[in-house]
Amino acid sequence: HSTVSCQLAMAATVQVAKAVRFAFVGCGTIARHHLGALKQSSHATAVTAVVDVNRERAENLLRLLPKTQENSQNCKMFTSLTDALQWGEFDAVIVMVPHHLHEPLATECLQAGKHLLLEKPLAHTVESCQKILK
């Protein structure tokens, strides 16, 4: 009897982990590698937005999302980071675009209060790196 009540008490305190919702900015080859890593992760994750100036590339990545993934049916596609940030239904942004675009996109994400992962290098110049880190 005490074992059962102990198990019930422990079960009541365990919380289900909320999935970290990601926006992918840049839907090329590197995005596919990140998607593969998220699929293998033991953490709860979901891609809820894909952003690329090339609509076809964004659509292709959208098709690769796991069918069982949380919110995969509701993942939105954008051709503008600004529009995606205005929608805002994600916790973190993974930026996977050419290096000279890192600074403006990273700055926009950080100003919107999003967590950020930038593909290396941080930026293409030391000045751009310093602006991102401000």
Side-chain angles (χ1 to χ4, degrees), residues 25-30 51-53 57 95-106 118-125 128 132:
V25 178
C27 298
T29 303
I30 299 300
V51 182
D52 200 296
V53 294
R57 224 178 1 233
V95 175
M96 302 159 283
V97 298
H99 308 141
H100 70 279
L101 299 173
H102 283 192
E103 178 196 333
L105 298 178
L118 276 172
E119 243 329 291
K120 63 183 180 183
L122 182 60
H124 69 298
T125 67
S128 284
I132 292 170

Side-chain angles (χ1 to χ4, degrees), residues 1-10:
H1 176 54
S2 64
T3 303
V4 172
S5 59
C6 182
Q7 288 174 340
L8 289 173
M10 287 183 354

Side-chain angles (χ1 to χ4, degrees), residues 25-103:
V25 178
C27 298
T29 303
I30 299 300
R32 294 169 192 261
H33 291 289
H34 281 275
L35 184 57
L38 289 181
K39 286 178 181 179
Q40 294 176 8
S41 173
S42 61
H43 300 286
T45 61
V47 177
T48 58
V50 293
V51 182
D52 200 296
V53 294
N54 180 321
R55 187 181 228 9
E56 184 179 339
R57 224 178 1 233
E59 289 170 348
N60 288 339
L61 186 66
L62 201 54
R63 283 189 210 99
L64 295 176
L65 294 177
K67 301 299 180 226
T68 58
Q69 173 189 2
E70 178 185 319
N71 294 330
S72 67
Q73 303 305 330
N74 299 318
C75 183
K76 300 228 184 258
M77 183 182 60
F78 299 91
T79 55
S80 154
L81 176 60
T82 301
D83 291 344
L85 288 168
Q86 286 175 352
W87 177 65
E89 295 295 317
F90 46 88
D91 308 301
V93 181
I94 303 176
V95 175
M96 302 159 283
V97 298
H99 308 141
H100 70 279
L101 299 173
H102 283 192
E103 178 196 333

